[in-house]
């Protein structure tokens, strides 16, 4: 069984009037699908950008990405930034964890890319460090919302 890790970024199509509810719907759907398909991961949102890292069997992750994520009209410019076979999961404790962009992630982007948060600025030099940072982040409540955007 081939195990993969994929990191993708996208831009929200709109700033929704009820963004928190829309994100909860996305997360509920993701947790259900991911738990049934042994997919784990983390989703961050901030400044109109989504960045998500997914891990699992290649066939299931590819199905999720190409059949569901790419077809979701709540975001656009969906681009895979990193795709790699791997031997172990960094996100094995979460079917899908969500957190809004926080100070540690903003500081990472300021240090490496001179912008608060824009996942499209990640480079081959900074992606591994970014994924490691995502894996180190955790919230006591999986759906902690404090969105400024």
């Amino acid at each position: 069984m081939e195990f993969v890790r994929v990191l993708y970024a996208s831009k929200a199509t709109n700033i929704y009037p009820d963004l928190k509810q829309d994100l909860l719907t996305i997360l509920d759907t993701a947790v259900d699908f991911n738990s049934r398909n042994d997919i784990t991961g983390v989703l961050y949102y901030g400044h109109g950008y989504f960045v998500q890292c997914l891990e699992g069997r290649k066939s299931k992750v590819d199905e999720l990405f190409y059949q569901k994520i790419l077809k979701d009209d709540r975001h656009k410019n969906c681009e895979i930034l990193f795709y790699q076979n791997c031997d172990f999961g960094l996100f094995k404790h979460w079917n899908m964890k969500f957190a809004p962009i926080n100070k540690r992630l903003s500081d990472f982007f300021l240090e490496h890319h001179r912008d608060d948060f824009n996942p499209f600025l990640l480079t081959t030099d900074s992606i591994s460090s970014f994924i490691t940072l995502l894996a180190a982040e955790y919230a006591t409540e999986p759906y902690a919302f404090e969105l400024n955007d």
Side-chain angles (χ1 to χ4, degrees):
M1 167 175 40
E2 197 173 8
F3 191 80
V4 297
R5 180 175 301 124
V6 61
L7 178 77
Y8 77 87
S10 63
K11 183 83 172 139
T13 52
N14 294 308
I15 301 302
Y16 301 96
D18 195 4
L19 179 62
K20 290 179 185 179
Q21 184 55 50
D22 207 35
L23 286 169
L24 281 171
T25 301
I26 291 168
L27 291 167
D28 286 342
T29 302
V31 167
D32 179 57
F33 181 88
N34 293 356
S35 65
R36 287 184 286 113
N37 291 281
D38 295 321
I39 295 174
T40 59
V42 61
L43 171 68
Y44 280 86
Y45 175 82
H47 307 292
Y49 294 101
F50 293 101
V51 64
Q52 184 172 30
C53 193
L54 298 167
E55 298 174 331
R57 285 185 303 176
K58 180 181 179 358
S59 61
K60 293 299 183 180
V61 170
D62 287 353
E63 174 188 348
L64 173 60
F65 185 77
Y66 292 107
Q67 299 302 316
K68 294 183 182 279
I69 292 170
L70 276 182
K71 294 178 180 182
D72 191 325
D73 62 2
R74 292 173 287 202
H75 65 156
K76 60 184 178 183
N77 303 335
C78 190
E79 183 178 324
I80 291 176
L81 305 176
F82 179 84
Y83 192 105
Q84 180 181 45
N85 291 339
C86 42
D87 297 325
F88 61 92
L90 295 172
F91 305 101
K92 59 187 169 205
H93 300 294
W94 308 306
N95 288 114
M96 182 49 55
K97 176 194 151 199
F98 170 79
I101 299 309
N102 60 42
K103 181 167 176 24
R104 287 178 62 190
L105 292 176
S106 291
D107 288 350
F108 176 90
F109 276 88
L110 288 172
E111 179 183 336
H112 291 88
H113 304 291
R114 303 189 198 315
D115 196 354
D116 281 342
F117 179 75
N118 179 344
F120 289 105
L121 296 176
L122 289 166
T123 65
T124 53
D125 292 334
S126 62
I127 283 178
S128 286
S129 297
F130 181 68
I131 291 172
T132 301
L133 178 61
L134 292 180
E137 292 285 313
Y138 68 92
T140 55
E141 296 180 32
Y143 301 165
F145 288 97
E146 289 181 24
L147 300 176
N148 298 322
D149 190 75

